[in-house]
Amino acid sequence: MTPKIQSVRGMNDILPDEAEFWDMFEETIRSWLKSYGYRPIRLPIVEPTPLFKRAIGEVTDIVEKEMYSFVDSLNGEALTLRPEGTAGCVRAVIQHSLLAQQPQRLYYLGQMFRHERPQKGRYRQFHQVGVEAFGFSGPDIDAEQILMGARLWDDLGLDGISLQLNTLGQPAERAQHRAELIAYFEQHRELLDEDGRRRLYSNPLRILDTKNPDLQQLIAAAPRLTDHLGAESLAHFEGVQQALRDAGQTFTINPRLVRGLDYYNLTVFEWVTDRLGAQGTVCAGGRYDGLLQQLGGRAAPACGFAMGVERLITLIREAGGETRAAAVDVYLVHQGTNASRLAARVAEGLRDRGIDVLFHCGGGSFKTQMKKADASGASFAVIIGDDEADAGEVTLKPLRTTGDRPNQQKRVGVDVVADEIMNSILDRDDS
Ligand code: ATP
Ligand code: MG
């Protein structure tokens, strides 16, 4: 037998039962974003490799070991499957001068690729909703973006997601802290793991972000950036906190929150749940004022966040959220040449009225067709045999019992079947 070809490890198919649920999730996401004035942007999945090296940082987990990079065999260009969306979004904003006239609130939704060890909540192809605001420098936008999360958890029926907040200050402030951190970790060199020793001089801040439990004690006692923050950075941080308090949003300040990408400054935040085991961060973001200039654009303030769609969907399903989209309204059963031709016209007529129709294909007896109609979950079967066709009528059969009304089928004229169905749907939705 020919061997089967399987999907790539860590890259999952999303089958129809689940994909319908994703569609509903995406609808919620889009209307939530619209309610804050965010507009969609669609970006390529493949970008030039130097974009990510420059944006995310050479000495980060993502760039060092998680990127799917390859050389385009046709022209030798170094390309990478995007591991995150901010870099590409900033590239597009610069390339198309989107900030020339006004600030921008943008979002995108789609696949990201990272070569990580697959486990629950961690995949090699996963999806993010990315939300970015360009051209706003005050703490008000940081707070708005954070509070957007709270509204979404509510819209999605999720609770138990808590907010962690930190500030990374500005590059000069970080440089002082960095020197102190290096000195501290040098003193305790023997306690560091291999990654830590390797990063000691290249990126000591990243050591604070390690997932290695053996290092947590060492990290807890490390010098804090807060001690190096100037008045402006402190005021920005205080502004964000004030807005959160005004909105009644509780949060925890976590000085160890540093994020796995190098482009952040000032505000960073994560929304975290303890219901997903080790993969508990469902949303993460912050300010990245330096990135536009770093990628060759004119300097402009920016902040944003990304949400892990798989993790959110797991949470919603575990919370017992609605996991199936509504089935079609009508299953169209038909047999006989004239009947089938009439049925095709009836189906299109119903769709003209906004009624969803599953048209039976493949023939078969009325009995087998009716079985399929039942299994489809449709609310009605519309049945057309030669008898009905000759009379210019259809048989309308409710397939779901609604309230105490009898489930009786009836013959109705071809031109009123849509009205009959619409009325029953309205009745049903009222009761
Ligand atoms: P982690 O610390 O879990 O590796 P990260 O800091 O690398 O996360 P970000 O780059 O901030 O993650 O991405 C934002 C969000 O995208 C994460 O909070 C998470 O919900 C989701 N995410 C990141 N990597 C993966 C992955 N490999 N599989 C599924 N979701 C992911
Ligand atoms: Mg990661």
Side-chain angles (χ1 to χ4, degrees):
M1 223 172 64
T2 321
K4 282 192 221 125
I5 296 178
Q6 304 277 341
S7 63
V8 176
R9 186 164 128 84
M11 304 202 186
N12 302 316
D13 300 311
I14 300 165
L15 303 179
D17 276 350
E18 183 144 11
E20 282 178 343
F21 184 64
W22 279 62
D23 282 354
M24 294 194 303
F25 172 82
E26 287 171 12
E27 260 174 55
T28 307
I29 292 292
R30 289 183 196 286
S31 69
W32 161 69
L33 286 161
K34 191 161 172 282
S35 79
Y36 285 88
Y38 280 81
R39 300 178 66 204
I41 183 166
R42 295 184 183 236
L43 303 159
I45 284 176
V46 178
E47 296 275 3
T49 302
L51 173 67
F52 299 115
K53 291 195 174 169
R54 252 209 266 171
I56 301 171
E58 297 264 5
V59 196
T60 56
D61 277 347
I62 296 179
V63 172
E64 278 184 338
K65 53 189 187 200
E66 296 176 358
M67 293 208 303
Y68 284 89
S69 297
F70 57 98
V71 174
D72 183 332
S73 61
L74 298 177
N75 63 7
E77 201 178 350
L79 301 176
T80 294
L81 299 185
R82 63 183 184 193
E84 56 95 60
T86 303
C89 189
V90 168
R91 177 203 48 69
V93 162
I94 296 169
Q95 185 171 335
H96 305 285
S97 310
L98 291 189
L99 293 181
Q101 308 301 330
Q102 58 192 7
Q104 297 279 344
R105 284 176 163 90
L106 304 173
Y107 78 89
Y108 46 84
L109 196 158
Q111 284 95 331
M112 305 294 160
F113 301 85
R114 296 185 193 177
H115 197 104
E116 305 195 67
R117 192 171 66 78
Q119 53 199 292
K120 187 183 176 191
R122 196 176 288 288
Y123 311 98
R124 291 182 174 172
Q125 175 186 264
F126 62 101
H127 295 71
Q128 284 185 343
V129 177
V131 179
E132 323 279 2
F134 299 98
F136 305 96
S137 58
D140 47 358
I141 190 89
D142 310 37
E144 182 186 86
Q145 287 195 338
I146 294 170
L147 291 168
M148 284 172 76
R151 174 173 298 276
L152 181 64
W153 315 145
D154 203 50
D155 288 353
L156 294 172
L158 294 175
D159 53 20
I161 304 181
S162 58
L163 175 61
Q164 302 215 344
L165 191 65
N166 191 23
T167 180
L168 298 181
Q170 299 292 12
E173 296 157 349
R174 274 216 298 283
Q176 291 176 12
H177 175 231
R178 184 190 144 99
E180 232 185 68
L181 261 189
I182 293 177
Y184 171 79
F185 285 129
E186 269 176 340
Q187 269 170 24
H188 301 92
R189 206 188 169 83
E190 71 290 351
L191 297 176
L192 288 176
D193 58 8
E194 201 193 307
D195 252 6
R197 274 194 285 270
R198 197 165 43 83
R199 286 180 171 167
L200 178 50
Y201 300 102
S202 60
N203 201 343
L205 196 67
R206 186 86 329 101
I207 302 175
L208 302 179
D209 190 36
T210 179
K211 302 215 164 43
N212 183 349
D214 300 339
L215 293 186
Q216 297 311 316
Q217 221 183 332
L218 179 68
I219 284 166
R224 298 185 169 218
L225 175 68
T226 352
D227 301 330
H228 300 279
L229 294 180
E232 266 186 52
S233 294
L234 287 169
H236 188 98
F237 195 34
E238 180 47 38
V240 176
Q241 294 177 56
Q242 185 59 50
L244 295 179
R245 284 193 293 265
D246 287 348
Q249 175 61 53
T250 57
F251 55 89
T252 310
I253 293 181
N254 174 1
R256 307 298 156 208
L257 185 66
V258 298
R259 312 285 306 109
L261 304 91
D262 275 353
Y263 48 60
Y264 290 104
N265 68 314
L266 293 174
T267 318
V268 288
F269 66 93
E270 289 192 4
W271 288 97
V272 187
T273 170
D274 53 16
R275 293 188 193 149
L276 292 173
Q279 271 60 250
T281 303
V282 292
C283 175
R287 189 163 270 286
Y288 51 93
D289 294 327
L291 188 57
L292 274 97
Q293 207 169 21
Q294 202 175 309
L295 292 180
R298 198 180 303 163
C303 66
F305 61 91
M307 300 188 295
V309 177
E310 282 81 358
R311 292 183 193 180
L312 279 176
I313 285 191
T314 306
L315 272 186
I316 300 167
R317 300 200 116 173
E318 284 175 4
E322 184 63 55
T323 58
R324 280 203 70 159
V328 292
D329 302 311
V330 168
Y331 194 99
L332 222 159
V333 171
H334 53 95
Q335 199 187 47
T337 313
N338 286 339
S340 295
R341 292 173 68 188
L342 176 61
R345 284 212 312 278
V346 169
E348 283 303 301
L350 294 176
R351 293 185 190 115
D352 285 342
R353 297 287 300 275
I355 296 166
D356 300 337
V357 182
L358 221 161
F359 186 82
H360 180 83
C361 287
S365 68
F366 276 121
K367 195 169 159 210
T368 52
Q369 290 194 37
M370 283 308 296
K371 271 199 193 141
K372 294 206 163 128
D374 268 325
S376 75
S379 307
F380 302 92
V382 167
I383 305 160
I384 308 181
D386 285 333
D387 212 30
E388 282 92 348
D390 288 343
E393 291 179 335
V394 310
T395 296
L396 179 62
K397 183 177 184 347
L399 297 174
R400 306 267 162 276
T401 339
T402 40
D404 47 7
R405 255 167 296 132
N407 233 356
Q408 262 176 8
Q409 64 179 55
K410 57 180 170 185
R411 289 269 290 250
V412 299
V414 162
D415 43 355
V416 297
V417 61
D419 288 328
E420 288 279 341
I421 290 169
M422 292 302 281
N423 287 339
S424 314
I425 291 176
L426 292 176
D427 277 3
R428 179 194 61 197
D429 292 349
D430 282 352
S431 62

